[in-house]
Amino acid sequence: MAVDGGDVVLACGDTSLVAVGVGPGLPVNGDPSLSSFDWRICVLLTQLSCPFSLCRVQDEDIKIAIEDAGFDAEILPQSNSNRLKPQSTLTGQFRIGGMTCAACVNSVEGILRKLPGVKRAVVALATSLGEVEYLPTTISKEGIVDAIEDAGFDAAFVQSSEQDKVLLGVSGIFSDMDLHHLESILGHLKGVRQYRFDRILAQLEVLFDPEILGARSIVDRIGEGSNGKFKVTVKNPYTTMSSNNMEESTNMFRLFTSSLFLSIPVFLIRVVCPRIPLVYSLLLWRCGPFLMGDWLKWALVTLVQFVVGKRFYVAAGRALRNRSTNMDVLVALGTSASYFYSVGALLYGALTGFWSPTYFETSAMLITFVLLGKYLEILAKGKTSDAIKKLVELTPATAVLLIKDAGRKLVEEREIDALLIQPGDTLKVVPGSKVPADGNVVWGSSYVDESMVTGESAPILKEVNSSVIGGTMNLRGALHIQATKVGSNTVLSQIISLVETAQMSKAPVQKFADFVASIFVPTVILLSLLTFFVWYICGALGVYPKEWLPENGNYFVFALMFSISVVVIACPCALGLATPTAVMVATGVGANNGVLIKGGDALERAQKVMFVVFDKTGTLTQGRATVTTAKVFSWMDRGDFLTLVASAEASSEHPLARAIVEYAQHFHFLDESSTSNDAEKQIKGSKFSGWLLDVFGFSAIPGKGVQCFIDGKRILVGNRKLLSESGVTIPIEAENFVVELEESAKTGILVAQNDTLIGVLGVSDPLKREAAVVVEGLIKMGVRPVMVTGDNWRTARAVAKEVGIQDVRAEVLPAGKADVIRSFQKDGSIVAMVGDGINDSPALAAADVGMAIGAGTDIAIEAADYVLMRNNLEDVITAIDLSRKTFSRIRLNYVFAMAYNLISIPVAAGVFFPLFGIRLPPWVAGACMALSSVSVVCSSLLLRRYRKPRLTTILEITVE
């Protein structure tokens, strides 16, 4: 509805109040989300009885109320643009703190999946991140954060898939007056839908309409409206995550050093001081019911146990509240048993005069070693995400914006934050600086290093109309580029998104770790209790001699120490970290080598690949088809024949069609009789230069060719199948010529006018130089290569013979490629498909592992599990080899984690004590547990040393 040219907005909340604002930018009911409307009238409707959160009020009632207030009102028909569109789901990332093992991950995932409006939730232990797909109309990101925090974990929102939201840091707001001034600026800003300012963090979150304004406009208007008082910066979510990781490691290091500082005196009192007579005499001085040494140990260890070690009690309580158990439960049980036994021993001695030995140092050293292990683990896990950090660092922090007037004359050069670049901006890129966004060159010429995306070390010449990629390095001349893709749409951002998604995903093998984690801690506690009762009962029954007992010890203490060692040496973390850390490192290594992996499940399947199915055109071949010969089989002039064929093919997007048009252009304008500059300019200036004939009724027939009408005559351009189905007879002379072309690995294109064949074109698409070597390398690796193509059988066999492929499937329509994939999958074989075009996307989706050549189409890349960014077939071998190496590392991690627990728990329980006298004090067991998870992460980090395999090594070629 509009009143006097303005918009009327109705809002109804729990107070059953409907309000319509008047005046630009004034908030309604304190709701800033309504401040973007240009209101002309205000109506307050009260005493509405509405049990729901949204009241339906008739338009006529509102019109009458407005007229009663003395204003004119008119009900306007609602346009399609104003209709509310159903809200789609959003994908948000949340930082989750306090998770220690796979049991915590399972607990958080279970909580999130039960929330209304949450469609999917995945939590990664290695990154401490959760990815949640949710309906914003049902639950907000604040609601998700609250749910995680209610479960006892720390949570913070990181970023979401919303394209119309920006997070700004605002300095200069010191009072409520400043805040009202900021709200007034935003309220008057057309296109702002909603905003929220956090005074504690000094962060402003703005939801805006990207069709009306951009992030830079918001920043500029805030600065101008405050006369420079408010300083506004854009918050980069990746920078925020890095600072959070740094903060976490700093906090853990502080806890560790505090515990170590308090534990060292306890250790010295127990071990060193008895050998120093003067100091020992002071410790034996009785102060009240206890010795001075006991008082000191109790005071120091109490600080360690309940101040430094508070996090273990909090985390253990959180886990038990969520009906799960984790590593913190084990640490809290083990240290508490040692601490409270020691306190009980002191009190018992004070009451009875019988003094048993205390084990305060066990509790303190346990916590110290566990904190050391957690600190090292955080540092090691930080290394696993180095790939994303390096990718983020490729984008420059700032850009030089060129501001021009209406006459396209340069007015000003302005340095802006790279996050504020908007589509259409003209940017200046000087030599030695990085390209700030994806775009096209509008002025200048230079060489650009695109190795970070393509892997090609040779610089690429960029001239006017050339495309450039954000993050690449400009080497020589200055360039002016026009930004076409910014933010999450850039190539680099999409690469980062793919790597992030892969690191968040779970490999199927991780289900084993999740199952073990769910039963691990209860099983260890039962084993600990069993250890205690076995040793205690056997001692009481005299099964073992008293000489085994420590000095002044008893059977209870002897059994308790074994029991505590069992609790603290068991480590569920090592199992939980075995898979995700290896997957994280592998996806990062793959990205650095030009292989983007979309998830842990794809990584797991690729290591079992038995067949690799290659598309021919653009995959095994270079995709740059050229016409090598043209033969006319009629009275028609060669030039007229080529004009006719080019006219028919000009409307087709097929690579062969483009090759035919280019050949005809070359014949007409660049032959020996006509090589003038004017002709060259004519070709460059217009796509077809006005020489093509008018075409009617054009239609492309998939897998066969094209059909159209020129001068009232039907023209067919395609393969034998097209002509035979159309009733055209192919003369023997033409058939022999086509066969000759096909046997030389060329494609024969037949041309018919009405019902008569008039000529044949021979088209060649050169093989990629590495194709034959890659095929041989796959065979050496035990993988069977297959070629599938829509081309004819003779050409397909000739190409396959040239590259060394035995299994060929030819004359396959696009839909049939997926059927070929399924035929190999029938016996359970894992099949990979390598393709680049739209027609390959069904096969890429049907394959167990789809590999899209990076230079291919967006649809093919979307359907694939692997993206080979460098358009190099050698990366097929890299992808398979990396997946094999990764899962070898994962298996090694699992073997180590399982073997550690299977061996260490019996040793801690004292199984070998009667035979060999081997015994692990609890603090030694704690040190072993702390280092076990660190060793698993470090094992995964060894994947960072991965080097792509040399083909000379695979093929066993000796280079002299």
Side-chain angles (χ1 to χ4, degrees):
M1 173 186 285
V3 181
D4 193 21
D7 293 330
V8 173
V9 181
L10 298 180
C12 178
D14 296 334
T15 58
S16 299
L17 181 67
V18 177
V20 182
V22 61
L26 296 179
V28 177
N29 296 344
D31 186 355
S33 65
L34 304 177
S35 63
S36 65
F37 296 93
D38 183 17
W39 294 304
R40 296 289 183 270
I41 197 69
C42 178
V43 179
L44 188 64
L45 305 176
T46 57
Q47 298 179 347
L48 293 176
S49 175
C50 177
F52 306 104
S53 61
L54 177 65
C55 292
R56 296 187 176 273
V57 182
Q58 297 298 321
D59 293 347
E60 189 65 34
D61 295 335
I62 299 173
K63 179 176 178 292
I64 294 171
I66 295 172
E67 291 175 340
D68 288 344
F71 298 91
D72 295 329
E74 179 186 359
I75 301 174
L76 299 179
Q78 188 179 30
S79 65
N80 290 334
S81 60
N82 290 331
R83 288 177 186 163
L84 292 175
K85 297 179 181 179
Q87 179 67 56
S88 59
T89 59
L90 293 178
T91 301
Q93 277 192 352
F94 299 83
R95 184 175 58 84
I96 304 172
M99 297 187 299
T100 56
C101 63
C104 299
V105 171
N106 295 337
S107 178
V108 176
E109 284 184 347
I111 292 164
L112 291 174
R113 288 169 181 165
K114 292 177 183 177
L115 294 176
V118 171
K119 301 295 184 181
R120 181 180 64 89
V122 179
V123 177
L125 175 64
T127 58
S128 297
L129 286 176
E131 190 173 88
V132 184
E133 185 179 345
Y134 63 98
L135 285 169
T137 53
T138 306
I139 188 169
S140 65
K141 63 179 183 297
E142 290 82 8
I144 295 173
V145 170
D146 291 341
I148 297 171
E149 290 179 339
D150 288 343
F153 297 91
D154 299 325
F157 173 74
V158 177
Q159 61 180 340
S160 75
S161 58
E162 290 176 294
Q163 302 296 315
D164 52 358
K165 181 177 291 185
V166 63
L167 185 63
L168 306 172
V170 184
S171 60
I173 296 180
F174 305 107
S175 63
D176 291 338
M177 186 75 70
D178 294 333
L179 182 57
H180 290 317
H181 188 190
L182 176 63
E183 291 177 348
S184 176
I185 295 171
L186 293 170
H188 284 77
L189 192 55
K190 196 78 171 178
V192 172
R193 292 174 175 169
Q194 187 176 355
Y195 57 85
R196 184 174 66 88
F197 183 72
D198 189 326
R199 298 190 69 169
I200 298 175
L201 299 176
Q203 289 184 353
L204 174 67
E205 186 181 272
V206 183
L207 182 67
F208 61 93
D209 187 347
E211 295 182 0
I212 299 177
L213 81 167
R216 188 170 74 243
S217 302
I218 298 173
V219 172
D220 292 344
R221 289 293 295 274
I222 293 175
E224 294 168 1
S226 64
N227 294 322
K229 180 180 179 181
F230 301 151
K231 304 297 181 183
V232 185
T233 56
V234 185
K235 293 286 187 180
N236 189 328
Y238 296 106
T239 305
T240 305
M241 289 169 59
S242 297
S243 62
N244 288 332
N245 292 337
M246 184 67 70
E247 181 182 347
E248 183 182 10
S249 63
T250 302
N251 182 53
M252 189 60 66
F253 182 72
R254 181 178 54 81
L255 289 174
F256 163 67
T257 52
S258 300
S259 181
L260 181 64
F261 178 77
L262 294 170
S263 300
I264 287 176
V266 178
F267 181 78
L268 293 177
I269 291 172
R270 176 66 181 262
V271 179
V272 178
C273 291
R275 292 174 171 79
I276 306 174
L278 180 60
V279 176
Y280 191 52
S281 62
L282 292 175
L283 295 176
L284 294 177
W285 179 49
R286 185 166 295 278
C287 184
F290 308 116
L291 301 178
M292 180 59 69
D294 293 330
W295 280 113
L296 286 174
K297 286 191 290 184
W298 173 80
L300 292 169
V301 173
T302 299
L303 291 174
V304 174
Q305 185 75 31
F306 299 108
V307 178
V308 177
K310 176 184 175 182
R311 66 183 308 278
F312 297 111
Y313 285 103
V314 172
R318 171 200 305 145
L320 294 174
R321 187 166 65 249
N322 294 320
R323 298 178 181 179
S324 66
T325 51
N326 58 14
M327 187 201 77
D328 297 296
V329 173
L330 297 180
V331 175
L333 279 175
T335 57
S336 297
S338 177
Y339 175 83
F340 287 110
Y341 166 77
S342 300
V343 171
L346 286 177
L347 294 176
Y348 183 78
L351 293 174
T352 64
F354 180 78
W355 299 93
S356 298
T358 59
Y359 295 91
F360 283 116
E361 68 282 352
T362 296
S363 170
M365 296 304 290
L366 270 175
I367 291 175
T368 301
F369 279 117
V370 171
L371 291 174
L372 173 62
K374 296 302 293 181
Y375 173 66
L376 295 175
E377 183 182 318
I378 291 171
L379 291 181
K381 286 196 297 184
K383 295 290 185 182
T384 62
S385 58
D386 276 353
I388 288 183
K389 294 176 186 175
K390 290 178 181 178
L391 289 171
V392 172
E393 289 169 358
L394 288 175
T395 306
T398 60
V400 178
L401 175 68
L402 300 180
I403 301 174
K404 299 181 180 181
D405 58 16
R408 305 298 297 168
K409 184 178 180 181
L410 181 63
V411 176
E412 178 188 358
E413 289 188 6
R414 175 184 166 197
E415 189 174 40
I416 62 171
D417 192 307
L419 296 172
L420 296 177
I421 298 173
Q422 298 175 171
D425 284 347
T426 302
L427 308 169
K428 180 179 180 181
V429 187
V430 299
S433 65
K434 293 179 179 178
V435 177
D438 293 2
N440 296 317
V441 177
V442 295
W443 178 89
S445 174
S446 179
Y447 282 88
V448 175
D449 179 7
E450 293 186 344
S451 58
M452 69 92 170
V453 173
T454 64
E456 297 293 337
S457 57
I460 300 173
L461 177 63
K462 299 293 181 180
E463 298 176 308
V464 175
N465 295 329
S466 297
S467 61
V468 290
I469 301 172
T472 55
M473 179 68 73
N474 181 25
L475 299 177
R476 297 183 185 177
L479 295 175
H480 291 180
I481 69 167
Q482 186 175 48
T484 55
K485 294 180 180 180
V486 299
S488 60
N489 294 322
T490 63
V491 171
L492 189 58
S493 293
Q494 290 174 351
I495 292 174
I496 293 172
S497 178
L498 282 174
V499 176
E500 276 190 326
T501 303
Q503 293 184 347
M504 287 294 300
S505 67
K506 290 186 177 182
V509 71
Q510 197 168 337
K511 293 178 181 178
F512 167 73
D514 292 341
F515 169 74
V516 173
S518 64
I519 62 172
F520 187 89
V521 175
T523 303
V524 168
I525 293 174
L526 289 175
L527 288 174
S528 175
L529 292 174
L530 179 64
T531 299
F532 172 79
F533 285 115
V534 167
W535 279 105
Y536 182 73
I537 293 172
C538 289
L541 296 176
V543 175
Y544 57 85
K546 286 188 177 181
E547 288 75 16
W548 288 6
L549 300 180
E551 186 180 356
N552 296 327
N554 53 46
Y555 295 118
F556 179 85
V557 175
F558 190 60
L560 181 64
M561 290 301 105
F562 281 118
S563 178
I564 293 174
S565 295
V566 170
V567 168
V568 299
I569 203 169
C571 185
C573 297
L575 284 168
L577 292 168
T579 298
T581 53
V583 169
M584 281 187 66
V585 177
T587 51
V589 168
N592 291 335
N593 284 278
V595 178
L596 299 184
I597 307 165
K598 289 190 177 180
D601 51 346
L603 197 64
E604 181 170 349
R605 289 194 301 270
Q607 49 117 13
K608 302 176 182 176
V609 165
M610 299 176 66
F611 294 90
V612 173
V613 179
F614 290 98
D615 174 50
K616 181 177 77 72
T617 305
T619 303
L620 288 172
T621 65
Q622 296 178 12
R624 294 193 296 270
T626 56
V627 177
T628 59
T629 184
K631 188 171 184 178
V632 182
F633 290 92
S634 68
W635 50 264
M636 189 176 292
D637 178 74
R638 182 184 176 87
D640 293 338
F641 169 72
L642 291 177
T643 300
L644 187 71
V645 179
S647 300
E649 291 283 15
S651 299
S652 174
E653 292 297 325
H654 197 281
L656 297 182
R658 292 197 294 270
I660 293 171
V661 174
E662 289 174 2
Y663 181 78
Q665 280 181 331
H666 181 87
F667 178 85
H668 282 295
F669 300 109
L670 298 176
D671 61 357
E672 294 180 356
S673 62
S674 175
T675 56
S676 67
N677 291 332
D678 292 339
E680 293 183 23
K681 292 178 181 178
Q682 185 183 15
I683 295 175
K684 293 180 180 178
S686 173
K687 184 176 180 181
F688 303 122
S689 307
W691 55 275
L692 295 178
L693 305 175
D694 293 331
V695 174
F696 302 94
F698 175 85
S699 62
I701 305 171
K704 299 176 183 177
V706 300
Q707 173 182 287
C708 65
F709 290 88
I710 299 177
D711 294 333
K713 299 176 181 179
R714 186 181 67 167
I715 306 298
L716 299 173
V717 184
N719 55 23
R720 291 187 188 84
K721 187 178 293 186
L722 175 65
L723 270 64
S724 61
E725 290 179 356
S726 302
V728 178
T729 302
I730 302 174
I732 295 176
E733 183 184 2
E735 176 66 26
N736 292 338
F737 181 70
V738 173
V739 170
E740 183 181 337
L741 290 173
E742 291 171 347
E743 288 177 346
S744 60
K746 297 176 183 177
T747 301
I749 306 295
L750 293 86
V751 184
Q753 187 179 60
N754 286 336
D755 296 330
T756 305
L757 184 135
I758 60 174
V760 176
L761 296 167
V763 182
S764 173
D765 186 1
L767 286 170
K768 290 181 178 177
R769 60 184 181 181
E770 73 275 9
V773 182
V774 168
V775 167
E776 187 178 354
L778 288 172
I779 295 172
K780 291 281 186 179
M781 294 172 68
V783 179
R784 181 178 166 188
V786 180
M787 189 181 80
V788 59
T789 178
D791 214 336
N792 63 82
W793 276 100
R794 286 192 184 91
T795 302
R797 288 195 182 100
V799 172
K801 182 180 180 181
E802 196 169 343
V803 296
I805 293 179
Q806 302 295 325
D807 196 341
V808 184
R809 309 297 167 96
E811 298 180 7
V812 179
L813 296 177
K817 292 183 179 180
D819 295 330
V820 172
I821 298 293
R822 295 187 188 99
S823 68
F824 286 109
Q825 294 172 327
K826 286 181 179 179
D827 62 352
S829 299
I830 303 297
V831 181
M833 169 70 191
V834 185
D836 72 317
I838 293 175
N839 60 341
D840 297 325
S841 55
L844 289 169
D848 298 289
V849 181
M851 297 183 183
I853 297 292
T857 64
D858 292 339
I859 295 176
I861 291 173
E862 186 67 27
D865 302 299
Y866 282 71
V867 179
L868 312 182
M869 295 294 296
R870 305 188 314 153
N871 198 20
N872 190 321
L873 287 177
E874 291 180 25
D875 290 339
V876 174
I877 289 179
T878 302
I880 297 174
D881 183 67
L882 177 59
S883 67
R884 291 181 177 179
K885 294 280 186 7
T886 300
F887 270 81
S888 294
R889 181 62 55 180
I890 289 174
R891 293 187 192 98
L892 184 63
N893 287 349
Y894 275 129
V895 168
F896 179 81
M898 292 297 295
Y900 165 82
N901 286 291
L902 290 174
I903 295 172
S904 62
I905 290 177
V907 172
V911 171
F912 302 105
F913 182 75
L915 296 176
F916 308 105
I918 298 175
R919 178 181 172 187
L920 286 180
W923 66 270
V924 175
C928 294
M929 183 271 286
L931 294 175
S932 63
S933 55
V934 177
S935 60
V936 166
V937 178
C938 291
S939 171
S940 296
L941 285 174
L942 290 175
L943 282 170
R944 296 174 68 188
R945 302 173 60 185
Y946 173 83
R947 295 292 179 269
K948 52 195 299 185
R950 291 178 177 269
L951 289 174
T952 52
T953 304
I954 294 176
L955 302 178
E956 298 177 356
I957 298 174
T958 303
V959 180
E960 295 294 338

